[in-house]
Amino acid sequence: VVPIGEESILKGLRQVVPGEFYAAATRPPAVYRGNPFQIEVGLVHGGVAPVHRITRDALVEMLEESDARTLRQFLINTFNGMGPDGADKILAAAKVGTRVSPGRLKPANIDHLHHALKEVNLSEGQTMNVLRYANRAPLQFQAGGCAITQTVMSTNWRSYGLSQSRNSLPSGPVTVMVHIASVWVPFTNESKEAVASYPEIQKELRLALQSVGRKLGMYLRRRMKVRHEGQRRNIFLRYIGEVATAVSRVNSADRDKLYEQLLEVAKKRTAEADVKLNDRGKAITDEDFGDNVIIVPPEEAGLGTGG
């Protein structure tokens, strides 16, 4: 049994999947029916989709080199994770027909398509993207019949800050990578595209998913708290000047000195807004996300600094 390793998982996901939070977990080796196996999980949350960063020149080059028969097929095949719904949103915003050939787009239509790629919010209605691997080989088909997908769907992701309907994948810009390493992977059939549902395997899958889920939940709660405190501070700052002026008129106090004192109190009360997270998620003084976590600064993840 040769696992990929948590560091390699984080490094690989960081290069391929854009995001703001990365976590990985490796379970200890276990056994099913006498066969050893090991489960590894990587998780990515947030970030800006690659389509938002594409330049017009790069788009033109992709359109010219594409062998897709329709523009809709081009979008689905070219941009990983977009899906049919995302492609339809892009085409509707660009006001371009779905069956138009990519190589026959006029310059004006290319401009509209490029603008739509950069402006349309693809995260709305987006569901978790599950990447399945067995002995480092990707499993691309029969996702519904795979123990990996079934365990991901049965995990309660609401506990970790994600929206999820019953018996379905959670919503949001989330990617989960699951790898099973074994001397004998129990596939459902000869095509080797889905892992069989053995209780021992599903247990290890669930524990690994819960491990990265807890780290994600801690991060999302911390981020929400920082955002909330920042909003509180903005409200304080909005009225501190008026309060200082009114008080100084009543008791003839020094308005500027009173303003500075009130400002200092506001900063202390909302000190949480000044918390910064380092790239390992360990800069927080009172909370630790654990090992094998990467947190990307908002400006690097393409998220901006606003709430």
Side-chain angles (χ1 to χ4, degrees):
V1 178
V2 182
I4 298 175
E6 292 164 335
E7 291 293 333
S8 296
I9 290 175
L10 289 173
K11 184 178 179 180
L13 289 174
R14 183 77 176 86
Q15 292 177 346
V16 177
V17 184
E20 57 178 295
F21 177 86
Y22 297 78
T26 298
R27 292 291 302 163
V31 177
Y32 82 94
R33 290 196 173 184
N35 298 307
F37 72 96
Q38 193 166 13
I39 299 295
E40 299 177 290
V41 171
L43 181 144
V44 183
H45 180 274
V48 173
V51 296
H52 294 323
R53 300 178 180 178
I54 190 171
T55 63
R56 188 186 185 282
D57 292 339
L59 177 61
V60 171
E61 185 176 350
M62 289 179 179
L63 289 168
E64 292 175 349
E65 295 179 354
S66 175
D67 57 357
R69 300 179 62 181
T70 66
L71 192 56
R72 186 173 186 267
Q73 183 182 4
F74 162 78
L75 293 173
I76 295 173
N77 295 344
T78 303
F79 301 105
N80 185 33
M82 176 176 289
D85 293 340
D88 291 339
K89 284 184 179 180
I90 295 293
L91 294 174
K95 298 181 180 179
V96 180
T98 59
R99 304 186 66 83
V100 176
S101 174
R104 296 184 178 181
L105 278 182
K106 297 180 180 179
N109 290 333
I110 295 177
D111 291 337
H112 294 157
L113 179 61
H114 180 246
H115 180 76
L117 286 171
K118 295 181 72 67
E119 297 299 328
V120 172
N121 183 7
L122 296 176
S123 63
E124 292 183 358
Q126 181 180 351
T127 58
M128 174 184 283
N129 183 28
V130 180
L131 307 177
R132 301 172 297 131
Y133 291 84
N135 286 337
R136 307 194 179 201
L139 307 179
Q140 299 180 338
F141 304 101
Q142 302 181 22
C146 183
I148 294 176
T149 306
Q150 294 169 359
T151 307
V152 171
M153 294 173 63
S154 64
T155 301
N156 183 14
W157 293 98
R158 292 186 296 274
S159 301
Y160 311 125
L162 300 179
S163 300
Q164 182 184 22
S165 300
R166 189 172 184 178
N167 296 324
S168 64
L169 293 172
S171 302
V174 188
T175 296
V176 165
M177 172 266 185
V178 181
H179 175 241
I180 176 172
S182 176
V183 295
W184 188 269
V185 177
F187 294 111
T188 56
N189 52 43
E190 292 79 5
S191 64
K192 298 184 178 181
E193 290 293 346
V195 179
S197 300
Y198 284 90
E200 298 87 349
I201 293 178
Q202 289 186 305
K203 175 185 175 182
E204 291 299 316
L205 286 169
R206 186 172 296 106
L207 291 173
L209 291 168
Q210 290 173 345
S211 178
V212 294
R214 283 191 294 269
K215 296 177 182 180
L216 174 63
M218 291 170 61
Y219 170 73
L220 292 179
R221 286 191 294 271
R222 169 62 67 172
R223 190 182 67 171
M224 185 179 298
K225 189 173 183 180
V226 171
R227 184 178 301 169
H228 174 69
E229 292 300 319
Q231 293 172 347
R232 285 186 63 201
R233 175 175 293 180
N234 290 336
I235 294 174
F236 289 150
L237 295 178
R238 188 181 305 167
Y239 297 106
I240 281 178
E242 297 181 12
V243 172
T245 300
V247 173
S248 65
R249 289 176 180 174
V250 172
N251 59 12
S252 301
D254 187 323
R255 192 263 182 197
D256 294 337
K257 184 177 180 180
L258 182 59
Y259 177 84
E260 292 298 328
Q261 291 174 341
L262 290 174
L263 183 61
E264 188 65 25
V265 172
K267 288 182 178 180
K268 288 182 179 180
R269 291 290 184 178
T270 59
E272 198 77 29
D274 295 324
V275 171
K276 302 296 181 182
L277 308 178
N278 69 6
D279 64 344
R280 305 302 296 182
K282 296 182 179 180
I284 301 174
T285 57
D286 61 344
E287 191 168 16
D288 188 351
F289 294 123
D291 297 328
N292 302 304
V293 170
I294 296 177
I295 294 179
V296 181
E299 58 274 10
E300 185 177 340
L303 299 174
T305 57

